[in-house]
Amino acid sequence: MTLEQLRTFLWVARLGGIRRAAQQMNISQPAVSNRIALLEADLGTQLLDRSRKGVMLTKQGVMLRTHAEQILQSVERIRAEVVPPENMTALLRLGVAETIVQSWLPEFLGRLRATHPRVTIEISVDISRNLREHLFDRTLDLALLMGPVSDYSVENVELPEFAMAWFRPVALEKPDLTRVPVISYHRQTRPYLELRTQLQDRYGNGIQMFSSSSLSAGFEMVAAGLGVGVFPRVLGERMQPGRIREFDPGWMPRPLSFSASYIGHPRDALAARAAQMAREVALEHAAETGAET
Amino acid sequence: MTLEQLRTFLWVARLGGIRRAAQQMNISQPAVSNRIALLEADLGTQLLDRSRKGVMLTKQGVMLRTHAEQILQSVERIRAEVVPPENMTALLRLGVAETIVQSWLPEFLGRLRATHPRVTIEISVDISRNLREHLFDRTLDLALLMGPVSDYSVENVELPEFAMAWFRPVALEKPDLTRVPVISYHRQTRPYLELRTQLQDRYGNGIQMFSSSSLSAGFEMVAAGLGVGVFPRVLGERMQPGRIREFDPGWMPRPLSFSASYIGHPRDALAARAAQMAREVALEHAAETGAET
DNA sequence: TATGTTTACGCTATGCGTAAGAATC
DNA sequence: GATTCTTACGCATAGCGTAAACATA
């Protein structure tokens, strides 16, 4: 019995097929078949019922699964507790929503690289909707996104909220929301949809909205006089300084809630640790700027 | 990280030396060095302090040890619970005291072979003193001996006691213990030593004792008229039928207590199971013959 | 035929033992 | 110099991927 055999067996059990497990593990499908066959031979008992659509666990397979999960969890704990962080070698595929990029991501990356210098970090900036998807297909280990991700398999570490604010070009002193376009997040994000609903409730259907998948582009549009913007307050203080102003039309959209989310099963100790670190950095950042909550 | 590496590390930790671990595992000493080196490289941290006299665990080594023991215990549990007994392939090196051989060993072996047909059983019959020793140097997996073995590393499963009795040759109606030799167990066994003390307390130093490392030889000596014997009562009923008689000199030695003993750390699931089975068989046997307790 | 498995087979790289080297008392 | 661990090196083989065969709906 080897740990690779157990790990392979668990992927087969989790994904319900040898082919799928092979794909997940980036090895050939016969290699998985072989590992399972060796494990079965070693234990002298059948673990899988092979059928047309994938595989089912036998009674022994079910029992093995429990133990195997425990074992691999212990292995994870070894990596988390025994290995000094500065020696930890791994790849962390990190997905980040742009709002985070523009506020405290640099501090977070700095801290992460300081404590885990041998960890390679691979960053994808995307809208939360896509980040969530990539979390599920396991092409991301950790996502800093508009959360939480409500799925039983995902662990969410709550991050501080971002208070929203209205921004206008300097020239436009008293914007009339029924006549000026409102610029905000990407069409497929929650804040965009919420904002549209609220605008329609208050001002009817005549409202014109622009959406931008890039925050800085959105701010640029506001600064250029194309309309007013609804963005996190803290970002306005550092983007387009002097070219935009905050204003109060009498109401505010809800603050944006973010989370650091990762797959909890199988547990990735590094992702868990990084998520906690993200929370710490974000809280410190919020305390300094004093504005996010 | 592989299970072999963890197992090897544990032996090094337990025995305090790479050479000793190699000896224990029946592999070359550089092989052990290499496994440890690979494990250290994998975890990116030093696990052992190499010194002149064996090795010491580092802080990380101590932490790893705990987790590794847990992991290998889980592996043991898999073998014990997931594998059907009839498919369990293993070698059980069994040490047995002759008293057991002469009473219920055959039933025990029969049951063991029935439930675990693929397990190879290797039997050594010896006096308990030597069995105990071979348990410690790990050349025995399980010993059925006069117990218990009082050592923190040994698990003892209590077996039914054997009541003792006095036997005489048919011809010698009323033996005088001060004049007739007393025949019993091997010189280095506890019952022999206890018996000698009691005889000296009661009759002074004049007592003559014969000892036999073979029970059947001891009975033969009694039958042949060389002296009286002190042996488990149940054995007298089947050995030398008709040629010996029980008698009562007014006192009895203490009953013999036996145990099924095995090393508890690292735990051997098969030995543990066999020990329980020995207890069951022995209790049934005692109930049938009705004489042992 | 489409899907998912096992079997067959050549090849690479891991990990063994032997033998020699290095360190420590 | 005795003891114990590491390094060096040739070699066997465990386990990989490719390709083909097999099973089942």
Side-chain angles (χ1 to χ4, degrees), chain A residues 52-68:
Chain A
R52 172 71 183 64
K53 280 268 176 215
V55 296
M56 279 280 293
L57 296 191
T58 62
K59 190 157 55 68
Q60 288 92 337
V62 173
M63 282 195 284
L64 176 60
R65 180 173 185 172
T66 317
H67 291 285

Side-chain angles (χ1 to χ4, degrees), chain B residues 56-69:
Chain B
M56 278 282 292
L57 297 190
T58 62
K59 189 157 56 68
Q60 287 92 337
V62 173
M63 282 194 286
L64 175 60
R65 182 175 184 169
T66 317
H67 292 285
E69 303 235 292

